[in-house]
């Protein structure tokens, strides 16, 4: 059983398009996150949600909009994709706000 | 602003060598500390963590880390590395006040067989 799953695993798209990445966790956790990992492997938090409420919203362009339909899902929608959005996006979840995070396999986004 | 520094960006060791990876953070309040590992082509997974209590914590695969509060450090150690330890290692800090997770830039470890 996959604990944190993301779809798709790879996403190749043109500049200007809109795309979504989905994340689901079956761990019963209350908190979910989105991270961006750039080409130098640097991991930066983008958003965190606790019980479907936005807790952390880092300095992310408003083209990025997270949506949490329920505690088990946190989707990321990106409008008007730019070249600089190319990265690996990781979803994660944790029981509490300061607990161990469990990461998904990542979605490699390539914007052409 | 909070930050996490990992001093070694690339480390190359031979098998059986000892490993120490440095991690320092800047935050004056209470923190939870983590080391995560990312094996090639895989997602991040927890190596070990410190929340409170004994500052020397042991993790999986023979790794350990020591929290030194006065130095704001949480260095990772392993007495004898194996080829299978080749991976990227990330130190992470969560301040228990604002609940923001900060990751270090990562250390790429390559172990020669």
């Amino acid at each position: 059983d996959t604990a944190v799953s993301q779809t798709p695993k790879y996403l190749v798209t043109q500049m200007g398009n809109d795309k979504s990445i989905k994340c689901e966790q079956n761990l019963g956790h209350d908190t979910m996150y989105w991270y961006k990992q750039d080409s130098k492997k640097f991991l930066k938090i983008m958003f965190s949600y606790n019980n479907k409420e936005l807790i952390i919203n880092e300095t992310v362009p408003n083209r990025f909009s997270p949506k949490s339909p329920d505690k088990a899902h946190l989707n990321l929608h990106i409008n008007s994709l730019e070249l600089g959005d190319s990265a690996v996006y990781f979803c994660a979840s944790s029981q509490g706000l300061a607990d161990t995070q469990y990461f998904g396999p990542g979605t490699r986004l390539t914007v052409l | 602003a909070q930050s996490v520094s990992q001093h070694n960006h690339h480390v190359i060791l031979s098998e059986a060598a000892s490993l120490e990876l440095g991690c320092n953070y800047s935050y004056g309040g209470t923190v939870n500390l983590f080391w995560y590992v990312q094996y090639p082509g895989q997602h991040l997974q927890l190596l070990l963590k410190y929340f409170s209590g004994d500052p020397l914590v042991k993790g999986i695969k023979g790794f350990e880390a020591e929290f030194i509060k006065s130095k704001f450090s949480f260095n990772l150690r392993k007495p004898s590395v194996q080829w299978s330890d080749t991976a990227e290692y990330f130190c992470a800090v969560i301040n228990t006040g604002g609940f923001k997770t900060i990751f270090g830039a990562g250390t790429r470890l390559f172990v020669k067989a």
Side-chain angles (χ1 to χ4, degrees):
Chain A
D1 262 353
T2 306
V4 183
S5 59
Q6 295 178 227
T7 53
K9 192 168 181 181
Y10 299 96
L11 187 51
V12 181
T13 188
Q14 301 283 338
M15 269 198 317
N17 283 351
D18 303 339
K19 290 293 177 187
S20 291
I21 308 172
K22 296 188 175 181
C23 177
E24 176 180 2
Q25 54 97 2
N26 63 7
L27 297 167
H29 287 165
D30 289 338
T31 310
M32 295 185 74
Y33 311 80
W34 277 110
Y35 286 88
K36 180 180 181 181
Q37 187 177 47
D38 63 24
S39 57
K40 294 184 180 175
K41 298 283 193 173
F42 186 65
L43 259 174
K44 188 158 192 279
I45 191 164
M46 300 171 70
F47 304 102
S48 76
Y49 270 71
N50 184 251
N51 283 318
K52 291 168 46 181
E53 289 196 23
L54 182 65
I55 301 295
I56 288 174
N57 181 352
E58 281 300 289
T59 50
V60 176
N62 57 16
R63 299 182 294 103
F64 290 79
S65 52
K67 287 218 170 39
S68 182
D70 54 58
K71 282 197 325 181
H73 296 85
L74 181 63
N75 303 324
L76 183 65
H77 188 75
I78 316 169
N79 288 329
S80 304
L81 278 154
E82 299 177 359
L83 292 175
D85 297 332
S86 295
V88 180
Y89 291 84
F90 285 99
C91 176
S93 74
S94 64
Q95 182 54 49
L97 289 163
D99 285 332
T100 301
Q101 294 175 30
Y102 294 81
F103 285 80
T107 296
R108 184 175 293 274
L109 171 65
T110 303
V111 182
L112 304 174
Chain B
Q2 279 178 254
S3 64
V4 177
S5 298
Q6 290 184 238
H7 316 298
N8 320 97
H9 296 295
H10 292 92
V11 174
I12 302 174
L13 294 172
S14 297
E15 274 196 313
S18 64
L19 171 72
E20 179 157 2
L21 301 182
C23 174
N24 284 86
Y25 65 94
S26 65
Y27 180 70
T30 305
V31 292
N32 288 348
L33 300 157
F34 306 83
W35 276 96
Y36 289 90
V37 61
Q38 188 175 24
Y39 296 105
Q42 295 188 28
H43 59 277
L44 280 90
Q45 53 189 286
L46 181 73
L47 260 185
L48 47 78
K49 63 186 179 186
Y50 173 81
F51 287 4
S52 64
D54 188 344
L56 184 63
V57 292
K58 294 194 185 299
I60 60 171
K61 304 188 180 188
F63 285 91
E64 65 178 33
E66 186 175 11
F67 171 50
I68 303 179
K69 191 173 180 180
S70 60
K71 294 185 178 179
F72 298 91
S73 71
F74 190 54
N75 293 353
L76 180 72
R77 299 194 290 252
K78 184 170 183 177
S80 175
V81 295
Q82 300 172 301
W83 176 81
S84 57
D85 293 325
T86 294
E88 191 98 19
Y89 292 81
F90 294 92
C91 180
V93 175
I94 302 177
N95 80 66
T96 57
F99 302 115
K100 182 176 168 182
T101 307
I102 306 284
F103 274 83
T107 296
R108 184 166 294 183
L109 171 66
F110 180 72
V111 180
K112 298 183 288 186

